[in-house]
Amino acid sequence: MVKRFMSVLILSAVLSIASMIFSSPVSAEWTKFGLYTFKTNDGRWDGQMYVKSNGGNVVVRVATPRTVNVRLCSANTGNCTSYKSNNQSGIISYYNLIGGKYYGDVSSPYNLEGTIGFSVYNKK
């Protein structure tokens, strides 16, 4: 009986804390874009995403048999981030981006194909 009471007590505490976190005005949302199929060195953008507000973060997930480099380019300004390598981990992160539409660009000295997806963390 005591075990059951403790389980209910812990569950209610967790739900209470979760409701405070998700209802706070500093909450945020994740939006996923993709999966996109890409070919390196084809001169085309390799997917797109939208950062809703300034200060957004982007997590890029790349699936390819080799290490590739990825950059994000703003459709509004034409400016691009520097290339970052996925180091075969498949994950690259970009922080504190200006709001707007971005294109992904995958680069490699090899002609490769793979998939890429973007998760954007937007502050509300």
Side-chain angles (χ1 to χ4, degrees):
M1 187 63 124
V2 171
K3 262 187 173 178
R4 186 172 219 201
F5 176 74
M6 290 300 289
S7 295
V8 170
L9 185 62
I10 291 170
L11 180 60
S12 64
V14 168
L15 290 175
S16 176
I17 291 169
S19 68
M20 287 188 298
I21 291 170
F22 291 112
S23 65
S24 78
V26 188
S27 65
E29 65 180 23
W30 282 96
T31 306
K32 293 184 179 184
F33 298 91
L35 292 173
Y36 299 100
T37 301
F38 70 84
K39 292 181 183 181
T40 58
N41 308 316
D42 66 356
R44 296 180 182 206
W45 293 119
D46 301 310
Q48 64 183 19
M49 84 261 2
Y50 297 91
V51 176
K52 290 184 182 178
S53 59
N54 290 346
N57 300 321
V58 175
V59 175
V60 181
R61 289 180 175 79
V62 183
T64 184
R66 292 188 178 207
T67 299
V68 295
N69 298 306
V70 177
R71 68 179 176 169
L72 305 180
C73 297
S74 170
N76 302 335
T77 66
N79 294 334
C80 298
T81 64
S82 58
Y83 280 104
K84 290 186 176 184
S85 173
N86 69 338
N87 294 322
Q88 295 183 341
S89 69
I91 298 175
I92 303 168
S93 298
Y94 295 89
Y95 302 99
N96 203 26
L97 295 172
I98 295 171
K101 181 178 181 179
Y102 287 84
Y103 297 107
D105 181 31
V106 181
S107 176
S108 171
Y110 308 101
N111 291 325
L112 300 173
E113 294 183 19
T115 58
I116 188 169
F118 307 93
S119 295
V120 180
Y121 178 79
N122 292 293
K123 297 177 183 177
K124 286 188 176 181

